[in-house]
Every structure is written in C-alpha cells, then in structure tokens.
Amino acid sequence: MKRMALHWKILIGMLSGLLAGFLFKEMGLQQAVVDWIKPFGTIFINMLKMIAVPLVAVSLIVGLADLKDISKLSKLGGRTIVLYLFTTVCAVSLGLILANLIKPGRFINESSRQRLLEGFAGEADEKIKLAEATKEQGPLQPLVDIVPDNFFGAMTDNGSLLQVIFFVILIGIGLIMIDERKSKPVVDFFKGLNDVILKVIDIVMLFSPVGVFALMAALIVEIPDFSTLGALGIYGATVLIGLALLIFAFYPTLVYLFAKIKPGQFFRAISPAQLLAFSTSSSAATLPVTMERVTDHLGVDDEVSSFVLPLGATINMDGTALYQAVAAIFISQAMLPVPLGLEAQLMIILTTVLASIGTAAVPSAGIVMLVIVLGQAGIPEAGLALIFAVDRPLDMCRTLTNVTSDTAVSAMVAKSVGLLHPPQSPVNEQP
C-alpha cells in the first residue's frame, strides 16, 4: 500500500465507502454511519479547509514577488480571466444545447412532479430566501465584497477567498515595488512558510483514503429514496453527459492544443485532485491538493499556479454553470406550458456566467445562484424542489469539473507566458 499511487488509494477508499454505505443502509444502520463514520469525513474536509487559506495567501505572495515586474502580473491576470470566461461560456452553451436536444423535463410525469414539489418545498424555500437577499443588494455589491474591511477576518472564512486574494495581491505588488534588499527577508520568510504548509498538506493527505471512505458511506445512507431518484434519471443523465464531454473531450483538447500536454499525462497528474473534488464537493477544500499536483506533477510554475488556481476556485465554475443551464431548461419544461425562447436562453447564458463568478467554492452554493437564473428567465423558483433529490451526487460531479477546468486553464496560461516546465515529480509519485 505504501508504494501505491495516491489516486489509487483514494479510489479504493471511495469504492469501499460506497459498498459500506449500501450494506449499512440495507441493515438499517444509517444512524450509526452518521454518528460514527461521517465525522471522520467531516474532520478530513475541515483539515483541508484549515490549510486552504494560509496556502493561498503564502503561495500567492511568493509567486507575485518572484514576478519582479507588475507588467507580468497584468499579462497573467488578463489571460487568466479571458480563459476562465471562455470556458464558462462554452460550458453554459453546451448545457443549453443538450437540454434542448434531450428535453429532460418532458420525461417527468405529473405524480413524480407533485411528489418532488411537496417533498422538497421547505429546502427550496430556504434557498429562495437566500437568493432574494442576494438580489436585493446593489449592482456593485460584488465589487464591494472583494475589498475586506478586516483582512484577518477574511482569513477566518473560506467563503472570503476573493478578499484574501485582493489583499495578498496588494502585498505582492508592494514587495515588487520596494527595493529588493528590503523585500528579500520578507520573501524568504514566506518561502520557508510555504514549504512548511506544503509538508502539512502531505501529512493531511495521508488520511485521505479514510476521509473519502467516510464521506462516500455517509452519502449513500443519506441519499433520498431511489424511487424518487428514478423520476429524475433523464435530467441527471443530461447533466452528466455535459460534464463528461467537458472533462474528457473539451479540456484535454484545449490542454493538448495550447499547452502541448497529452491527455494521459494530464489526467495522471491531476487525478488525486479530481477524486478529492468528487468526494468533498468543494473546490476550496481541494485547492491545497490541486496546487500541489499542478505544480509538481503537471509542471506549472509556482508563479502561475499560486495565482491562477486560487482565483479559479472562486470565479471559475464551469460544472456549476452547465448544471444551472440544464436545470433551468429542465424546470421550465416541467413547469411552463410554452418552451423558453431564444432571447430568454441567451439571457440564461449571460446570467449564469455572472452568477457562476459569484458562486462560493462550497457544497450546494450553486443551487442558491440558480434561483437568480430562474427568476431572470421567468421560470417559477418553486421548481427548484424538483432537482433537490439528486443535487448532492451532481454537486460532486460538477465540482470535479470545476477543478479540472482550473487545472487546464493553469496549464494553458503557464504555456502562454513561458512558465510551463517538465514536472518536478513523476506523475505516479506520492506527494
């Protein structure tokens, strides 16, 4: 087992957790799993989240200080934003195309629709209230939210990652602008601290198979009745087809064309991060592993990965964007007598792109932003209850997609600025 690659250990933990969850559910021991197994999964996620913000702050300071030129930061930021917007627009468009071709809303019968609406009405109302509070804010509120009034307060909240990035970028610019003799002790301190944090990540990852086992077992015992899930099979399949096309066709093609990395090498390098993203449903929790895999196993320079990946974990939500597009069309087909027109669907693209940028990198945050997309398109928000039954497993898949997109963009940006190198570690080596 010691010689086994990390992604195989995680995969074994995942499959073992699924099997154990089914067995416990059949024996009627769901509460035992919730009380005695799920906490180990929660501890594992908390450990990853614990190290995420310090890693982002320290690695970004080190990366920016190494640039030694503000023009390089401008070039890096511009290319990153353009690529993230491009992939998000492509994801939304793909979701709309698939939803219009497959028409998943037409496969749900009246009895299933009523059962879902009644069974998940409370959860839908809760998300609608959260979305209403978001919509009541001013048009420039997202811009205001980027600037923290207390940096240390932002450091204590994983949902405030953009605020941390904003402050740290200012620190990095300050280090570039002052005399190198004065900045060197500060940079050396953060480089040493960065090495310590990376070693802590290695320690945390020793527990990843156990954490993944606990998360998957808890998922199975907490999942709704399978007869309910059956009514949403076509909808779920539509989302999964779109996500699979992004993961196995769109991103590998982009990486091969623009970064000259073969698909096999790409997937071997990032597979542990993908599996963790699937298990935790959180881009932020997966971020420490994503940065380590991209830097050491994909060959992306620290200067790029420390900037592109934290930014991607907060604004690049391709999987969430595709899911929101499919969900909006699905709910409209199930609830409205007339199909949505071209203008309404084009507005879904615009709204989804903007909403995905503001989506927090935590489980189920995308469903709150979906309410805004539905309201803009004139689709009844109550229809949100139709998709709650399968949201958790789909959330896992779209988080995997988000992380895959982040890694692909980081490789392309690194290649474009001449900072893509041969990997420091073989792709099958333990972190």
Side-chain angles (χ1 to χ4, degrees), residues 4 17 30-31 100 132 152 167 186 194 228 291 295 377-378 405 408:
M4 186 179 293
Q30 292 95 325
Q31 194 59 43
N100 281 284
E132 287 296 332
F152 294 101
F167 181 81
V186 179
N194 191 49
T228 304
M291 293 180 68
T295 303
S405 175

Side-chain angles (χ1 to χ4, degrees), residues 62-141:
V62 171
L64 292 176
D66 286 341
L67 287 176
K68 296 183 173 61
D69 188 349
I70 295 179
S71 64
K72 288 184 179 180
L73 175 60
S74 176
K75 181 188 298 184
L76 197 64
R79 296 183 184 190
T80 300
I81 297 297
V82 168
L83 281 172
Y84 277 152
L85 289 176
F86 170 72
T87 59
T88 302
V89 170
C90 289
V92 179
S93 302
L94 177 61
L96 289 176
I97 291 170
L98 289 173
N100 281 284
L101 288 176
I102 299 173
K103 295 182 172 60
R106 299 177 62 181
F107 290 88
I108 185 168
N109 57 45
E110 181 61 25
S111 61
S112 296
R113 186 169 72 89
Q114 290 300 326
R115 188 168 67 250
L116 289 168
L117 288 173
E118 293 170 3
F120 294 94
E123 295 179 47
D125 288 341
E126 179 183 340
K127 301 297 183 183
I128 290 170
K129 289 178 182 177
L130 290 173
E132 287 296 332
T134 302
K135 287 192 289 186
E136 288 176 1
Q137 298 173 347
L140 295 181
Q141 188 61 40

Side-chain angles (χ1 to χ4, degrees), residues 199-255:
K199 185 54 63 176
V200 171
I201 293 171
D202 290 347
I203 296 171
V204 171
M205 289 308 296
L206 294 175
F207 300 96
S208 58
V210 176
V212 168
F213 171 87
L215 290 169
M216 299 310 293
L219 170 69
I220 294 302
V221 300
E222 292 177 339
I223 207 166
D225 183 74
F226 288 104
S227 62
T228 304
L229 299 184
L232 299 171
I234 303 299
Y235 159 71
T238 304
V239 175
L240 292 178
I241 290 170
L243 298 179
L245 287 173
L246 290 176
I247 294 170
F248 297 110
F250 183 61
Y251 301 134
T253 301
L254 289 179
V255 170

Side-chain angles (χ1 to χ4, degrees), residues 44 127 145 181 408 412:
F44 176 59
K127 301 297 183 183
D145 290 339
R181 289 174 300 176
M412 289 187 288

Side-chain angles (χ1 to χ4, degrees), residues 368-386:
V368 176
M369 305 311 294
L370 177 58
V371 179
I372 298 175
V373 176
L374 295 177
Q376 181 279 324
I379 303 168
E381 288 94 339
L384 200 67
L386 296 176

